[in-house]
């Protein structure tokens, strides 16, 4: 399998090829000069005469030029330069570079195939330049085998290093892609968290403001005292909504280093609104102030519920009561909370809290007491439809489950179960 290569600029590529070809040519010229000196000292001419030194030089330049094609045809170029090195001493440098380049591919079959012409090159060189101080034929063969082994070892080591660098590059690219995906997922999760928190905090207050302000528009027979009372309720809930909005925005703008959900008051950061089931009486009182009757049945000790689970349960109940008040303002709401401690829920391995909110389908008003004076009809209520989706997601993130829908009696029922340890 070919290794991925790091992209090079044209300038770096030209420089790399230039120094390789120059080094190969200089090595061959050095060997050619040594043989020329040896021939002059021994007075032994080459097999083809002294003119062969010129042919040797020309073949060396040809072999050096063939190195430019070594990556496209590695086996062919290595074989040809090896055979030419048997006839030309200048070609020896190019042959060595071609062998090293081939060995970087780390393919034993190609290396074994090239070993044959490389061995023959030693025998050919002995015939072309006989008795020039290089020793016997066997000595030339041994030198050829040793040089072949060294060239293969160097090329193999370079190939291993290239593979290691390529693996590091691939890991870096993979890590970068994973980091980009984690950042994108974190952004999506943070946006969902902000939207869920804003909805949970503001939906309850804004729905009260909408209902009471609708009463002022709908009813024209209210006394000044009733108008003032309703306006005070609108003002109070609007101020509470603004206060809770500032708290949420303050937390989102300045996230503390601590992972604790509660912030120290002396840290200078606003504490986020984190109501729990202990604040349930106040929530029920706000709902009943809008003339929506709520029957609460508690089975178990609410104080035994962990704070994290208690917060999620409160938000689910708050959303259910808000939906009931908006879509069925004339109907009573039944709320059942069952706390199952760890010892009573041994089969599940931990405690849990079960919630059920039931409210009937809306009916047309028969008299002024069937629903709050001036409250808008369910058809006038504008909803995004994301409230139940949000509490379902909250329950799933808490490790529990939430279902909702109409039962056989036509009542709308929301049930949820939140485990203590998720």
């Amino acid at each position: 399998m070919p290794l991925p290569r790091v992209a090079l600029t044209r300038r770096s590529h030209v420089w790399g090829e230039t120094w390789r070809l120059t080094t190969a040519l200089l090595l061959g010229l050095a060997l050619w000069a040594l043989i020329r000196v040896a021939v002059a000292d021994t007075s032994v001419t080459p097999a083809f005469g002294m003119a062969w030194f010129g042919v040797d030089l020309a073949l060396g330049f040809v072999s050096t030029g063939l190195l430019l094609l070594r990556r496209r045809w590695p086996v062919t170029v290595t074989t040809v330069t090896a055979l030419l090195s048997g006839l030309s001493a200048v070609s020896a440098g190019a042959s060595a570079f071609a062998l090293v380049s081939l060995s970087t591919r780390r393919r034993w079959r190609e290396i074994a195939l090239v070993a044959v012409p490389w061995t023959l090159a030693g025998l050919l060189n002995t015939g072309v330049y006989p008795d020039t101080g290089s020793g016997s034929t066997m000595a030339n063969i041994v030198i050829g085998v040793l040089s072949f082994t060294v060239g293969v070892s160097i090329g193999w080591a370079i190939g291993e290093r290239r593979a290691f660098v390529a693996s590091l590059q691939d890991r870096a690219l993979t890590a970068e892609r994973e980091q980009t995906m984690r950042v994108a997922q974190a952004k999506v999760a943070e946006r969902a968290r902000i939207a869920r928190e804003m909805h949970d905090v503001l939906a309850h207050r804004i729905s009260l403001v909408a209902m009471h302000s609708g009463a002022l528009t709908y009813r024209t027979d209210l006394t000044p005292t009733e108008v003032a009372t309703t306006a005070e309720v609108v003002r109070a809930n609007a101020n509470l909504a603004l206060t809770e909005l500032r708290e949420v925005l303050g937390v989102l703008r300045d996230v503390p280093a601590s992972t604790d959900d509660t912030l120290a008051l002396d840290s200078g950061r606003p504490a986020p609104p984190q109501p729990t089931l202990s604040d349930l009486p106040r929530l029920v009182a706000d709902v009943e102030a809008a003339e929506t009757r709520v029957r609460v049945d508690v089975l178990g000790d609410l104080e035994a519920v962990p704070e994290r689970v208690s917060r999620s349960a409160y938000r689910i109940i708050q959303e259910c009561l808000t939906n009931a008040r908006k879509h069925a303002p004339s109907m009573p709401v039944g709320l059942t909370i069952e706390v199952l401690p760890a010892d009573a829920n041994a089969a599940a391995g931990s405690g849990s809290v079960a919630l059920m909110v039931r409210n009937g389908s809306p009916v047309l008003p028969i008299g002024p007491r069937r629903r709050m004076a001036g409250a808008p009809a369910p058809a006038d209520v504008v909803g995004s439809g994301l409230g139940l989706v949000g509490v379902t997601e909250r329950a799933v993130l808490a490790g529990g489950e939430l279902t909702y829908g109409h039962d056989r009696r036509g009542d709308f029922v929301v049930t949820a179960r939140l485990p203590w340890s998720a």
Side-chain angles (χ1 to χ4, degrees), residues 179 298 358:
Q179 177 64 19
V298 179
R358 176 189 296 272

Side-chain angles (χ1 to χ4, degrees), residues 220-371:
T220 59
D221 57 344
L222 298 177
T223 64
T225 303
E226 291 175 332
V227 172
T229 302
T230 305
E232 176 62 23
V233 173
V234 173
R235 186 194 66 81
N237 282 279
N239 288 336
L240 288 175
L242 288 175
T243 301
E244 293 178 350
L245 177 61
R246 292 191 191 99
E247 292 173 345
V248 172
L249 293 179
V251 173
L252 294 177
R253 288 170 180 165
D254 193 6
V255 179
S258 174
T259 57
D260 192 2
D261 290 332
T262 58
L263 303 179
L265 296 179
D266 57 354
S267 63
R269 302 185 180 97
Q274 296 292 338
T276 60
L277 290 176
S278 60
D279 301 309
L280 188 60
R282 184 174 58 184
L283 175 64
V284 174
D286 290 340
V287 175
E288 290 182 339
E291 296 190 4
T292 299
R293 290 170 294 173
V294 181
R295 186 185 71 255
V296 181
D297 296 325
V298 179
L299 305 177
D301 184 13
L302 296 182
E303 299 296 332
V305 181
E307 183 180 0
R308 177 181 58 83
V309 181
S310 184
R311 286 198 304 268
S312 299
Y314 179 90
R315 292 302 190 191
I316 293 174
I317 295 172
Q318 183 186 47
E319 177 62 25
C320 292
L321 295 180
T322 301
N323 288 340
R325 186 175 62 250
K326 289 194 300 184
H327 301 288
S330 61
M331 304 302 296
V333 180
L335 171 60
T336 303
I337 304 175
E338 184 178 3
V339 179
L340 300 176
D343 55 351
N345 197 25
S350 64
S352 63
V353 57
L355 309 174
M356 184 176 68
V357 182
R358 176 189 296 272
N359 65 281
S361 300
V363 295
L364 294 176
I366 299 177
R369 301 296 297 176
R370 290 302 303 271
R371 57 191 176 98

Side-chain angles (χ1 to χ4, degrees), residues 48-382:
F48 301 104
M50 296 298 295
W52 185 255
F53 282 106
V55 177
D56 189 326
L57 190 61
L59 293 177
F61 280 100
V62 172
S63 299
T64 304
L66 289 177
L67 290 180
L68 296 173
L69 305 176
R70 68 187 183 280
R71 291 194 176 96
R72 180 175 298 182
W73 299 296
V75 178
T76 302
V77 171
T78 305
T79 302
V80 172
T81 54
L83 293 175
L84 289 178
S85 66
L87 301 174
S88 167
V90 183
S91 300
S95 177
F97 266 79
L99 178 63
V100 171
S101 178
L102 177 69
S103 300
T104 59
R105 296 161 57 88
R106 297 177 300 163
R107 297 178 182 179
W108 284 111
R109 292 183 179 180
E110 296 178 352
I111 295 174
L113 183 63
V114 173
V116 176
W118 187 278
T119 305
L120 293 177
L123 298 176
L124 289 175
N125 186 266
T126 303
V128 173
Y129 296 107
D131 195 16
T132 56
S134 58
S136 62
T137 303
M138 183 59 64
N140 288 337
I141 295 177
V142 172
I143 293 175
V145 171
L146 291 178
S147 61
F148 181 82
T149 304
V150 172
V152 171
S153 300
I154 294 175
W156 197 279
I158 295 175
E160 290 286 351
R161 181 181 176 277
R162 288 179 179 176
F164 177 70
V165 172
S167 66
L168 291 181
Q169 184 185 19
D170 184 66
R171 291 179 184 178
L173 293 176
T174 302
E176 185 176 356
R177 287 193 296 265
E178 292 177 352
Q179 177 64 19
T180 303
M181 293 177 60
R182 284 194 294 267
V183 170
Q185 292 174 355
K187 289 181 179 180
V188 173
E190 185 65 14
R191 290 173 181 172
R193 185 182 72 87
I194 293 173
R196 184 171 58 248
E197 192 67 22
M198 295 288 287
H199 180 276
D200 292 344
V201 169
L202 296 180
H204 176 66
R205 298 296 177 188
I206 298 300
S207 63
L208 288 176
V209 171
M211 293 185 65
H212 285 280
S213 61
L216 295 177
T217 304
Y218 182 82
R219 292 294 299 272
T220 59
D221 57 344
L222 298 177
T223 64
T225 303
E226 291 175 332
V227 172
T229 302
T230 305
E232 176 62 23
V233 173
V234 173
R235 186 194 66 81
N237 282 279
N239 288 336
L240 288 175
L242 288 175
T243 301
E244 293 178 350
L245 177 61
R246 292 191 191 99
E247 292 173 345
V248 172
L249 293 179
V251 173
L252 294 177
R253 288 170 180 165
D254 193 6
V255 179
S258 174
T259 57
D260 192 2
D261 290 332
T262 58
L263 303 179
L265 296 179
D266 57 354
S267 63
R269 302 185 180 97
Q274 296 292 338
T276 60
L277 290 176
S278 60
D279 301 309
L280 188 60
R282 184 174 58 184
L283 175 64
V284 174
D286 290 340
V287 175
E288 290 182 339
E291 296 190 4
T292 299
R293 290 170 294 173
V294 181
R295 186 185 71 255
V296 181
D297 296 325
V298 179
L299 305 177
D301 184 13
L302 296 182
E303 299 296 332
V305 181
E307 183 180 0
R308 177 181 58 83
V309 181
S310 184
R311 286 198 304 268
S312 299
Y314 179 90
R315 292 302 190 191
I316 293 174
I317 295 172
Q318 183 186 47
E319 177 62 25
C320 292
L321 295 180
T322 301
N323 288 340
R325 186 175 62 250
K326 289 194 300 184
H327 301 288
S330 61
M331 304 302 296
V333 180
L335 171 60
T336 303
I337 304 175
E338 184 178 3
V339 179
L340 300 176
D343 55 351
N345 197 25
S350 64
S352 63
V353 57
L355 309 174
M356 184 176 68
V357 182
R358 176 189 296 272
N359 65 281
S361 300
V363 295
L364 294 176
I366 299 177
R369 301 296 297 176
R370 290 302 303 271
R371 57 191 176 98
M372 176 185 172
D380 298 332
V381 178
V382 179

